[in-house]
Amino acid sequence: MGLFGYWQHTLQSFAVDQVASEQVFTDLVTAYSTSDRHYHTLEHIDHVLGTIDTLQTYAQDLAIVQLAAWFHDVVYNTQAQDNEKKSADYAFNLLSYLGIPLSNITTIIRLIINTKHHQAATDDYNSQVLLDADLAILATNPEDYGKYSRAIRQEYAWLSELEYITGRRQVLERFLRRQRIYYTPLMFEIAEQSARFNLQAEIQTLDLISRYV
C-alpha cells in the first residue's frame, strides 16, 4: 500500500471529506519533503506506519496511533527544542479542519508530545506502540543503521564534529541506560538486543572519530 493509500485507509472510520483529505495529505508530503530532512522524511513515516501495522494488536485505537505517526515529526528543526509541541499544534489545526472529533485529537496530541522523551505510562498502550515504531530503526541491520546515523548527522550539519559527538553520545547513552528500550512484548523480544548492539557500536565509532577531531 502506498502512502496515500495508508492515509485514506486511516481516515476511513472518520467519514472525512475526500477533497479535504487530499489537501491535508499534500500538506504533509510537502512538510516531510524539505531539503533539510535526511532521515525524518516520508520514508521514515512509511517505516513507522509499517511497524505500527506489525504491532497493531497492542494498540487500543489503531487509527489514533496511525494519525499520531503521520504528524509526529511534521515540524522538525534540529535547532529548536519545541518540535513536538509545534507538531502537535499543526496536528490540532489540520485534524480539526478534517472534522476529527476533539476527544480523538486530544489523544493524538498527547501521543505526539510523548515522542519528545520516548516515555509512556505502563497502561498507555497507544503511546507504547507509537514509540516502539518510531524507534524500530535502532534495531535494524548494521548497514541500514549506518545509513540512519549518517542521515541524522546530516540533519545536524550546523554543529561542529565535536559538538555533535558530545550531544549524540548523550542521546545514545540515555537509551542504553533504560531498563528496556521497547515497550511492547514483541519489540522487546525481537529488537531489544539488536538496538543495544547498534547503539553501543555507534558510541564506539563516535569515540574513534573524536580522537581525530
Side-chain angles (χ1 to χ4, degrees):
M1 187 187 302
L3 276 173
F4 185 57
Y6 258 122
W7 176 247
Q8 289 181 307
H9 182 73
T10 302
L11 291 175
Q12 271 183 354
S13 59
F14 296 105
V16 169
D17 176 75
Q18 182 66 22
V19 174
S21 168
E22 291 176 5
Q23 289 174 337
V24 172
F25 179 78
T26 300
D27 285 350
L28 287 167
V29 169
T30 300
Y32 281 106
S33 302
T34 56
S35 61
D36 56 339
R37 291 175 181 257
H38 301 276
Y39 171 69
H40 293 89
T41 62
L42 288 170
E43 184 178 352
H44 169 57
I45 298 304
D46 188 40
H47 187 248
V48 170
L49 290 169
T51 307
I52 289 171
D53 277 352
T54 302
L55 301 174
Q56 63 181 279
T57 56
Y58 299 110
Q60 294 160 310
D61 193 329
L62 182 61
I64 296 301
V65 179
Q66 290 169 327
L67 283 173
W70 275 101
F71 286 93
H72 81 285
D73 283 326
V74 70
V75 176
Y76 188 74
N77 175 5
T78 56
Q79 300 190 51
Q81 299 294 320
D82 58 351
N83 289 318
E84 293 78 13
K85 172 66 167 60
K86 287 184 176 177
S87 292
D89 291 344
Y90 188 106
F92 178 85
N93 290 333
L94 268 67
L95 293 172
S96 297
Y97 169 68
L98 289 175
I100 304 299
L102 182 58
S103 59
N104 293 142
I105 296 176
T106 301
T107 302
I108 291 165
I109 286 173
R110 178 173 54 77
L111 298 186
I112 293 170
I113 295 297
N114 283 349
T115 64
K116 183 175 181 66
H117 299 294
H118 287 93
Q119 297 284 353
T122 54
D123 61 346
D124 186 359
Y125 302 111
N126 286 334
S127 279
Q128 291 178 15
V129 170
L130 176 62
L131 298 182
D132 279 8
D134 194 28
L135 296 180
I137 187 65
L138 300 182
T140 192
N141 64 76
E143 181 181 354
D144 285 343
Y145 187 89
K147 293 177 183 176
Y148 151 72
S149 62
R150 289 190 294 273
I152 295 294
R153 178 64 181 107
Q154 285 179 281
E155 292 182 340
Y156 285 86
W158 54 276
L159 282 177
S160 71
E161 198 72 12
L162 192 57
E163 288 172 325
Y164 179 76
I165 288 171
T166 300
R168 179 67 176 168
R169 206 179 194 285
Q170 290 174 349
V171 171
L172 301 177
E173 288 176 339
R174 197 175 302 129
F175 280 120
L176 286 172
R177 283 196 299 269
R178 288 167 57 152
Q179 186 174 359
R180 53 193 291 169
I181 295 170
Y182 297 110
Y183 288 98
T184 59
L186 179 61
M187 286 297 285
F188 183 70
E189 179 184 348
I190 69 172
E192 184 80 16
Q193 293 309 311
S194 296
R196 290 185 180 277
F197 174 85
N198 285 331
L199 294 173
Q200 289 164 344
E202 185 178 355
I203 288 174
Q204 290 175 351
T205 300
L206 293 173
D207 288 346
L208 187 62
I209 295 171
S210 67
R211 297 177 191 173
Y212 300 97
V213 175

